[in-house]
Amino acid sequence: MNFELTDEHKAIKDAAKDFAENEIAPTSVERDIKAVFPFEIIKKLGELGFMGMMVSQDRGGAGMDTVSYVVALEEISKVDASVGVIMSVNNSLVCYGLEEYGSDHIKENYLKPLASGQKLGAFCLSEPEAGSDATAQKSTAELHGDHYILNGMKNFITSGVNADYYVMQAVTDKSKGYKGISTFLVEKAYEGVEVGKKEDKLGIRSSDTCSIGLNNAKVPKENIIGEEGMGFKVAMTTLNGGRIGIAAQALGIAQASLEAAVQYSKERKAFDAPIANLQAIQFKLADMCMNVEAARLLTLQAARKKDNNQNYIREAAQCKLFASEVAVKNALEAIQIHGGYGYVREYLVERFLRDAKITEIYEGTSEIQRLVIAREILK
Ligand code: CAA
């Protein structure tokens, strides 16, 4: 497999880097502290085509491949992982499912504005009692005439407060287990959709997370995505691509941690010389560099398999698992190299650790990724 980026990929990487450094970085510290959503940044990302990167151009997207998405998302997340997750959810968890499984009605009315960045999307699978065990859905959807009536509660929804549209799972036939789950496009504005309290989080604080209550929410019949009973399959295949996105987000944090550690170790003096001269520091930097490179190769491998229409379930789980664990390790090592300065807000590395931790949890915990990998190699 060729891991060289094409000139086009390099141009996308440069454009994302330039945007991140000039448009995202100036406000990232304050947005993290105050937990402020990056409205203007997301709007501009949409105008640049970064919110629907893999959606075909006739559906409002940028018509790019998954490798382009990965390189762009790494650069954005390197500067601000909160912006990274908002971008990743809209691209991977929302636009993908609409394009892959949605009817013309869904594509025309919802995919186009989402892919072009005019609207923002969120993915609502998790519930208070359905996290890793995603089949344990309790939310229900009953067909009454022209509408489904949805009841239940969705939990930990990234962008739930500020999204316009939700891709949401609910049970249409309890007797069929996970084969009785369906997926719907639900507008936040629909009667009976109740946005819960915004969570106060450890990291990725500039992205919002909340619960969504469904209290006899009326969803038009034509807003089903795929057929009744296909909802779990829609969610799982969507999450395969989502995991590549989270790997790219984690990669950005891991690379940012490495670069901060390299810079600091060249500037900081101890025992009359830069600490970069010390083998204790060099060994840490070497491991950080090797791990981030390995994570990048795993992520590009999964992206290329997806682009080549090959099975990428295992590769997606592997890159998400490895990159997220590297993000946490690299952030921890960057703090260790910074010493006391790493523990205070003056330097960015403490945020890298807070942002990194969630990448081991959302879109399937590390334990679920190991389970997915094991099931794929044992089947
Ligand atoms: N890709 C495609 N299909 C898959 C799949 C995958 N990765 N994983 C499972 N399936 C399919 C199976 O093939 C099976 O289909 P068939 O009946 O056609 O054979 C069906 O789904 C049921 O699968 P299992 O029997 O393996 O179900 P299980 O209950 O034993 O295990 C699980 C399922 C893998 C644990 C799954 O529940 C899972 O992935 N859990 C993690 C959920 C998750 O990632 N949540 C993230 C929430 S979203 C989020 O975090 C977004 C955000 O805001 C950032």
Side-chain angles (χ1 to χ4, degrees):
M1 198 174 278
N2 179 10
F3 290 106
E4 276 301 305
L5 296 182
T6 63
D7 287 345
E8 203 184 333
H9 292 141
K10 285 180 194 156
I12 291 161
K13 189 176 171 67
D14 289 346
K17 184 178 162 67
D18 191 56
F19 182 82
E21 287 172 358
N22 293 310
E23 305 277 344
I24 302 179
T27 55
S28 64
V29 170
E30 198 182 346
R31 279 185 290 98
D32 168 61
I33 293 170
K34 296 186 179 162
V36 173
F37 191 82
F39 291 105
E40 274 307 304
I41 291 167
I42 296 300
K43 189 165 164 269
K44 286 185 190 164
L45 277 175
E47 286 161 7
L48 288 171
F50 285 117
M51 295 304 279
M53 289 187 73
M54 295 162 288
V55 175
S56 58
Q57 286 174 327
D58 60 336
R59 297 293 187 188
M64 294 180 192
D65 61 10
T66 315
V67 171
S68 305
Y69 170 57
V70 160
V71 297
L73 194 47
E74 179 186 341
E75 290 302 329
I76 301 290
S77 304
K78 199 171 126 186
V79 169
D80 193 328
S82 291
V83 177
V85 74
I86 300 165
M87 175 178 155
S88 179
V89 166
N90 198 74
N91 274 278
S92 300
L93 297 189
V94 177
C95 288
Y96 170 83
L98 302 198
E99 188 161 46
E100 190 69 18
Y101 299 102
S103 61
D104 274 346
H105 163 76
I106 293 277
K107 287 178 185 159
E108 199 50 39
N109 292 288
Y110 297 108
L111 180 57
K112 274 192 175 170
L114 284 162
S116 57
Q118 292 157 37
K119 298 284 183 191
L120 184 66
F123 180 76
C124 309
L125 174 68
S126 299
E127 297 188 355
E129 291 172 68
S132 289
D133 183 5
T135 61
Q137 299 282 307
K138 289 213 171 99
S139 296
T140 55
E142 280 179 27
L143 188 58
H144 291 271
D146 290 342
H147 287 82
Y148 283 94
I149 304 297
L150 270 62
N151 280 291
M153 176 68 76
K154 294 290 166 179
N155 215 14
F156 298 132
I157 305 305
T158 302
S159 300
V161 177
N162 290 297
D164 304 282
Y165 303 144
Y166 304 129
V167 171
M168 188 177 283
Q169 278 73 34
V171 177
T172 40
D173 187 343
K174 195 164 184 272
S175 69
K176 293 189 176 153
Y178 68 82
K179 292 196 167 142
I181 296 172
S182 305
T183 299
F184 301 90
L185 189 299
V186 179
E187 295 190 23
K188 183 167 73 181
Y190 286 159
E191 191 190 322
V193 176
E194 295 162 359
V195 176
K197 189 174 106 348
K198 193 175 124 181
E199 304 288 355
D200 188 9
K201 296 176 296 188
L202 174 71
I204 56 159
R205 290 172 52 78
S206 175
S207 80
D208 73 69
T209 304
C210 68
S211 56
I212 307 285
L214 301 160
N215 188 6
N216 289 323
K218 265 180 96 175
V219 177
K221 198 175 156 186
E222 61 270 22
N223 278 23
I224 192 161
I225 300 170
E227 308 280 315
E228 262 196 26
M230 264 181 69
F232 193 69
K233 202 78 186 168
V234 171
M236 289 297 111
T237 50
T238 297
L239 277 166
N240 292 331
R243 288 165 184 166
I244 299 177
I246 299 306
Q249 185 206 17
L251 204 46
I253 302 169
Q255 179 68 31
S257 301
L258 170 64
E259 289 178 19
V262 167
Q263 189 185 333
Y264 184 81
S265 63
K266 285 182 181 169
E267 287 165 4
R268 171 74 178 175
K269 289 200 171 128
F271 311 106
D272 299 326
I275 59 170
N277 288 10
L278 303 170
Q279 273 194 346
I281 301 295
Q282 291 174 0
F283 288 179
K284 286 187 192 301
L285 295 176
D287 284 349
M288 290 166 80
C289 178
M290 173 184 68
N291 283 331
V292 80
E293 194 91 345
R296 188 173 293 110
L297 292 175
L298 281 175
T299 309
L300 287 172
Q301 179 199 38
R304 287 223 196 279
K305 284 210 155 186
K306 180 167 180 284
D307 287 336
N308 292 338
N309 295 316
Q310 292 167 284
N311 183 325
Y312 63 97
I313 296 176
R314 178 172 59 82
E315 288 77 5
Q318 284 177 172
C319 69
K320 198 271 191 188
L321 170 62
F322 192 77
S324 60
E325 293 191 347
V326 168
V328 171
K329 268 191 225 153
N330 276 13
L332 275 169
E333 287 295 50
I335 291 176
Q336 192 67 17
I337 290 169
H338 280 70
Y341 292 105
Y343 202 66
V344 294
R345 284 233 168 105
E346 191 184 342
Y347 288 82
L348 291 176
V349 288
E350 64 84 31
R351 190 186 91 214
F352 297 159
L353 180 63
R354 290 188 288 105
D355 286 350
K357 184 58 203 170
I358 190 62
T359 65
E360 293 183 323
I361 298 172
Y362 56 25
E363 301 204 24
T365 60
S366 295
E367 292 73 16
I368 289 294
Q369 304 312 325
R370 288 189 165 86
L371 182 136
V372 171
I373 295 164
R375 284 185 180 179
E376 285 296 302
I377 57 182
L378 290 169
K379 77 181 183 191

